[in-house]
Amino acid sequence: MSFIRQYITCWVACVLCGLTLAEANAAEHPRLLLTADGVGQIRSSLGRVPLFDQTLASTKQEVDAEIASGIHVPIPADFSGGYTHERHKRNFFIAEKAGALFQILGDERYASYLRDMLFEYAEMYPTLPLHPKERSYARGKLFWQCLNDANWLLYMSLGYDAIYDWLSEEDREFLNAHLFRPFADFLSVDNPQFFNRVHNHSTWGTAAVGMLGLVLDDTELIERALYGLTDDGLEVGALDDDGGFIKLENQRVGFLANLEEPFSPDGYYTEGPYYQRYAMYPFLAFAIAMQNAKPEYAVLEHKNNVLMKAVGALVALSDSDGDFFAINDAQKGMSIFTPSMTLAVSAAYAYGGRDPQFLSIAEGQGRVRLDQAGLALAEDIALRRGEPLQQQSVVLRDGPEGNEGGIGVLRGGDLAVVFKFTAQGLSHGHYDKLSYALHHGGDEVIQDYGLVRFVNIGQKGGGNYLPENTTWAKQSIAHNTMVLDQKSHFGGNYAVGSQHHATLEYASLDNESLLSIYAKDSNAYPGRDMRRSLSLVTLPGLNKPLLVDLFTVTGTANMIDLPTHYLGQFIEISESLNVQREPAPLGIDSGYQHIWQEARSQPTSGNALKFSWLVANRFYTMFRSTEPGDFFVHGRLGANDPDFNLRRDPTLIHRRVPQTDRTTFVSVIDSHGEYSPVTELSQGQQSVISDVKIIFDNTEYTVASIFLGSGDAFTLAWAHQDFSEDKIHEVDLPQGLLRWAGPQQIEKQEVEINE
Amino acid sequence: MSFIRQYITCWVACVLCGLTLAEANAAEHPRLLLTADGVGQIRSSLGRVPLFDQTLASTKQEVDAEIASGIHVPIPADFSGGYTHERHKRNFFIAEKAGALFQILGDERYASYLRDMLFEYAEMYPTLPLHPKERSYARGKLFWQCLNDANWLLYMSLGYDAIYDWLSEEDREFLNAHLFRPFADFLSVDNPQFFNRVHNHSTWGTAAVGMLGLVLDDTELIERALYGLTDDGLEVGALDDDGGFIKLENQRVGFLANLEEPFSPDGYYTEGPYYQRYAMYPFLAFAIAMQNAKPEYAVLEHKNNVLMKAVGALVALSDSDGDFFAINDAQKGMSIFTPSMTLAVSAAYAYGGRDPQFLSIAEGQGRVRLDQAGLALAEDIALRRGEPLQQQSVVLRDGPEGNEGGIGVLRGGDLAVVFKFTAQGLSHGHYDKLSYALHHGGDEVIQDYGLVRFVNIGQKGGGNYLPENTTWAKQSIAHNTMVLDQKSHFGGNYAVGSQHHATLEYASLDNESLLSIYAKDSNAYPGRDMRRSLSLVTLPGLNKPLLVDLFTVTGTANMIDLPTHYLGQFIEISESLNVQREPAPLGIDSGYQHIWQEARSQPTSGNALKFSWLVANRFYTMFRSTEPGDFFVHGRLGANDPDFNLRRDPTLIHRRVPQTDRTTFVSVIDSHGEYSPVTELSQGQQSVISDVKIIFDNTEYTVASIFLGSGDAFTLAWAHQDFSEDKIHEVDLPQGLLRWAGPQQIEKQEVEINE
């Protein structure tokens, strides 16, 4: 297309759209993440701030290589992993970077490259049909789903902002009329089912549209983004292709509603950290751009600074290596060091109080943003102001108002226990009420399976969610929680699960020798009341905390399964196991169809189970109270998995046919030793624990004894009601009266209690 | 025991033994690894050589803590992992260190501590019965097997040497009469089945006895060690409890025979690097002590400096992280950085030509020996003379004369292919003729299973070899080699296997674009001739080498299995797999009883197999020629494993019912991409290869075509006889005459060859 033709087309388009030529000149550019002031600071700091200079040099190298390879704007054809998808994705990443380089280095090559790329898009876009892949509930044009088109618009707007003042008025008007405005309309008014909901998709959609609105200083676009479409014509109750609700009754919409609803007042994002990490970028990018360009809207401070709290929540919900705990649909290995967290870290530092732990995260990321916030971070790293990650025991409430359960992390020694008593977590939620996972340093000891998806690996179902995500990963038996009658919580029904949440009864995080959280759920199985208390207990004379787990259910059930999804090498078990010559699937649905029954124990006589395993060269032993007739199934994941999508992980399932309407399990997990394959030496091979017994249990109290190999014994007592700290509780045991204050108690037994 | 009583006992014992009081004073001490000269050098260097000073400080801290805890010499009771075993083991390690500290620091606390410990042993030893655990063919006294008693004597002799001149003559004589001389006799004349054989046990036994001989300057003991017992009264053909031969016809014995027989002229140790690493300590310790104290025997130079070559072989047989390749019985994770290699590294450096790569290994070990060789190493590290590990493609011959096959390592890109065509490897050998393993950097891609043993983990069979080591790990199907009629090589018979070895036909290690080794075996299955060629081939235009594998067998077989023990996540397969609802074991013996048949393909029509997997975040694809009717079994290890001793690793078995007396497999394995769980980006998900076909095959030649996705095709040709470099070969193909020089050829096809 010649320039003359471009100009004419542009002029015509402007007239048609009713644009005024002055519109885009209301304030100077750049004004979004990188500001004109920031450019000045950066230019005067070049060569003095190592991490910033390194990031600039590597970005320059990357963009220069792209410029050398030419501009590639192919007709869209592929799913993620395919050429056209990856190419368009690369284009928008490079566009933002080219814009920053132009601002910082003043080299017009970058501006020209970006302009030429935009013109190629503007030439293609007006006649582009919907993407040929038909899988999505909201098909895009450049990509198979609007979500990726929104990514494109958000990043491209950042690049556009950087060259906006450099472009001729004619070029701007042409691009606005042929590319940007139709693009924003397509993502909003043309796709309300994508734009007008509360979901990470809409966060991207609204942020992208809003970002363009800021570039153009277009109040209508900005407010469309903030408040959503007034009239979207959507029906209440429609579902997307992940099974998520598109529209609920009285649903508020727009960017601010997306910020208010999924984040709790503590910054917990109801889908979990894996999706939060992805969503943080549009949340923060648009909020910071608003702060820079339109501070009067106070978007960054919205909901009592929840976005800053949300970055802290991501750090709280990661292990000591910075890997996020697997919560709901979550791919393992994703961490606070991911590039998509670069903005979050610099925003949390620059706008959130300069917490020095973010400096050490930024150092781990090895790069900063090429804007004034990234410069501030890099300067303070150079001044060695960083401090190591500060991860403490914490409870983060769930729900927009913070009253829909939550998630807790107990940390002691190098252990971290993640206890989940949240709401459903939107369409990426799992049926895992009162589940937990155990981490030791950067290793998983008792796992949450995560998701069944190979993100961006095209050979595995196009990189999308695989059927086993629904049939296994979301099901209750895939989690370390209680399963009644082989059915998942809420019958595995999303609509039902979405109406409920577990509740926190109490948390005690101050006493380092007894960290404890007690939560309950009475909706996962109607008429059944499940309660779990998880504690990290440091007994006198032991230098490592024990994980103590009380799990009780009141109400009828024909069969109770309590799986322990340990990882690593089976070492020994106290029960006699009959291994199966030809293992059969353990059930036909609810996830059981994916578990091979490798071995099954004899029914126990009621002695505690003792089970030891070795993972990441550390020894662990679980002691578990049993009742006569209980037995154990050693399961192996992988049955009914025709495409080998599942890992062949082990699980140990405690199975009980309860004799009464109330039954209780008490477990103690001891992390007791280490092994080195290089020296072949092991230390602490044997647990210090010798036995665990429940000695009293009713709906008011449970009392258990823990016996050590040393001969010492300890009594653990839990109250199941009236959790105030000063409430005095009394239990009349055969051995005498046990009396204590507060919800939970550990006491050394002066004389061993015999039943 | 009072000192007066000690003295009297000692005096009586001396008279009874006919010792002269002058005997032990013939030369100054220390004279073994640490010498009097060395002590002088060390003392004058203190405070100037960081790694030496650090090692000294940490050793001092360790020994001081032991001294503070008192001396513990319990009555022997336990297997390894148990208290008494670990305590006696700790004692001898500490004894050597205390001796060195005494010499270097001149602090008599260390000498007194060691003397007091020795006297406690001397008090116990004379009345000590055999160890109560009866498992070993050669039960020790302090430990369940003589091997560990020999460890004790060797280390204690080093400690004893350090305080020998400091001790009173009376003390020395008492210790010699009550402890050391009876100890040495017990390990030799009382246990010829342990002392008088060629086995790592005897290496320890002879080195220990010889080391004491050097302390005492006792020629009889020294020569007993070097040359063995003249008359041992052993029967030819007896077996130890690992199934190894104790005595063969005309077996030479003693330390020198142990040095001559298991090491090939290239320094390859026939049991493999895992046992070599363990054996190197006594070999080198005694050889260096002989060099220092009795250089006239020339032990260190014996067999053309084979001990120095042997250290080089350990480096050659490790991956880029320094982890040893799993060869024969071998626990994974053992590496050149193990403390037991500290002596090897300093010896190889100080006595073997100061190769700078040993400096970087010593840096990785983080410690040096506290003797003059360790000082030399630490000094050159301080001078930054170290260089990175130098691991090159290599062939190491096996057999005392170097004519019993060997092992090859091809290295290209970051890949390392380990190709095994050795002799049996004594009692730790596996039935794995012509097997290979593929490593990429520090990761296993196609594995050798290793051993089935949890060394020093008491709960797993006392830390000893488990039954599945024999029933699985040694069997042919556990390896990446050919199995005929579901029977292991040599019928899994050790006596038969020990009579044979594979042979190297040619190796080409100079041409980086075609690294190749060709080996054959005609004894594993009598009457059947198996030949394998493994090559790392770099095609024009590709930046990574391909692993090309030709495997052919001539002779009758009803069924051929060719397993590929890949590790990691199954990605996709070109064959249609039927997964089994209830997987059954694949056979009843020869290792097959441990493989569950997870899935089985339809018989193929003859198209090449394409199988992709992901391990350590890298993508691999194997292309394999097939014949119509071939099929594939996807197996999972773990059947018939009642104690959960086996890992649940996958295997893909290519099964063929050959239609003729000769059949051939050609595979190409492409390492083509990477995945990051942090960025969720993958590069090179798809292989550049599109197809592999055999286009000609007879006993003289095989020709195959490799087709690339780019449309290019390459012809690979192998000669099966007359491997000279200048021999001209000709094959008359339908497409025309193929003509080349030398044993193997790659040629780009100008026009695609269609069958």
Side-chain angles (χ1 to χ4, degrees), chain A residues 405 421-422 433-434 481-482 484 489-490 496-497 499-505 518-532 551-555:
Chain A
F421 40 92
T422 60
K433 290 286 167 279
L434 308 186
T481 189
M482 194 179 275
L484 305 187
H489 301 170
F490 307 110
V496 178
Q499 294 163 22
H500 299 289
H501 57 83
T503 54
L504 174 66
E505 296 298 307
Y518 186 115
K520 74 168 186 177
D521 185 277
S522 39
N523 298 298
Y525 296 105
R528 270 75 64 95
D529 176 82
M530 300 194 294
R531 289 154 174 264
R532 188 169 214 167
F551 208 157
T552 184
V553 59
T554 304

Side-chain angles (χ1 to χ4, degrees), chain B residues 32 195 205-215 221-222 225-226 286 290:
Chain B
L32 303 182
F195 188 80
T206 54
V209 168
M211 207 66 111
L212 180 67
L214 286 175
V215 179
L221 277 183
I222 293 169
L226 290 174
F286 185 52
M290 286 295 291

Side-chain angles (χ1 to χ4, degrees), chain A residues 340-366:
Chain A
S340 61
M341 284 284 290
T342 311
L343 175 65
V345 169
S346 71
Y349 188 71
Y351 297 88
R354 308 223 158 192
D355 180 341
Q357 71 175 326
F358 291 115
L359 298 178
S360 62
I361 299 173
E363 278 192 274
Q365 291 172 334

Side-chain angles (χ1 to χ4, degrees), chain A residues 274 338 455-456 675 678 680 685, chain B residues 274 338 455-456 678 680 685:
Chain A
Y274 176 74
T338 181
V455 182
N456 287 329
Y675 182 74
V678 175
E680 296 188 334
Q685 273 182 33
Chain B
Y274 176 75
T338 180
V455 181
N456 287 328
V678 175
E680 295 187 336
Q685 273 182 33

Side-chain angles (χ1 to χ4, degrees), chain A residues 39 43 98 126 183 326 382 406 420 453 525 528 554 621 629 713:
Chain A
V39 171
R43 288 186 176 181
F183 207 112
K420 187 167 183 276
R453 177 184 180 184
Y525 296 105
R528 270 75 64 95
T554 304
T621 298

